[in-house]
Amino acid sequence: HTYYSDGASTVRELVKQAEKKGLSGFAITDHDTVKAHKHIKKFNKVIIIPGIEVTTKQGHVLGYLINESIPKELSVDEAIDRIHEQGGIAVAAHPFEMFRGYKDFMKHAFDAFELLNGYEPKNYVYKKLNKYTKKMPFTAGSDAHITESLGRCYIESPEVSDAEELIKNVLRRKVKAGGELLTIKDYVLKLKLIEEKKLKNPRTSTVQKIVSKIIIETPAPILEIVNGLLTRAVNKFNAAR
């Protein structure tokens, strides 16, 4: 995510981070906007996949190979149709997380689902996760809201020359997912860092700045306890699914 939505990075900063980490490319999937895409043509050392993360009534939907904005608050099916109309692929974003996902994603016409998401604490246990990889293509993403998080989760693919070829490999299941999920302690530290950068972003709304200040000023141990309680609740929820 770039500073055009809820991220703290410019496209240039993300490109530099990709080169530093040895990544061949990355996707830009800002929430409900493609404004950052105008910068993509300025860079040719890494592959940048134009995308979007659509906020629907049921959950987030990732669209790859997308160049036009898609309205938020559509139904999941409507968002998927809009993505397909642009020739893109629709991916179920972090579908296993209780607060940001949805358990019935297999009922929709998704082309793939997000197997790994770098913004989730690793304490989220998805006992039924592996069975989905046998039924549907998958992706993995850092869900990076700050530059340093880029590359935390990733996919490995045979060598490709452009974004279109990479997406074909995803659909053909020629990719592997890798990366490292967060401990609760790291998650809290990362959360505070993200909120600090949001305060410095001139595009951040007044309400968001108030929320950011509350999170920053809350002692880390308290946030860890709250997060731990939520995590246990999520684990029980997912275990019952």
Side-chain angles (χ1 to χ4, degrees), residues 1-7 28-37 51-54:
H1 300 279
T2 74
Y3 67 87
Y4 283 101
S5 61
D6 62 343
I28 295 177
T29 54
D30 280 320
H31 291 282
D32 310 306
T33 181
V34 295
K35 290 181 179 179
H37 293 189
I52 192 171
E53 186 167 4
V54 186

Side-chain angles (χ1 to χ4, degrees), residues 124-193:
Y124 287 158
V125 179
Y126 307 127
K127 294 185 177 180
K128 299 182 179 180
L129 181 144
N130 288 331
K131 74 175 185 179
Y132 293 107
T133 60
K134 299 177 182 179
K135 298 180 179 180
M136 180 182 288
F138 59 84
T139 66
S142 302
D143 203 352
H145 291 72
I146 57 175
T147 309
E148 295 81 0
S149 296
L150 185 67
R152 190 172 189 93
C153 289
Y154 53 83
I155 57 170
E156 296 178 353
S157 165
E159 187 174 349
V160 297
S161 58
D162 55 34
E164 288 76 12
E165 192 174 352
L166 177 59
I167 294 302
K168 286 181 181 178
N169 281 348
V170 169
L171 297 178
R172 293 169 181 167
R173 305 189 193 193
K174 292 184 177 181
V175 300
K176 296 180 181 179
E180 180 183 356
L181 301 182
L182 300 171
T183 63
I184 291 181
K185 184 176 181 179
D186 287 340
Y187 177 81
V188 169
L189 291 175
K190 177 182 176 183
L191 181 63
K192 283 181 173 288
L193 182 58

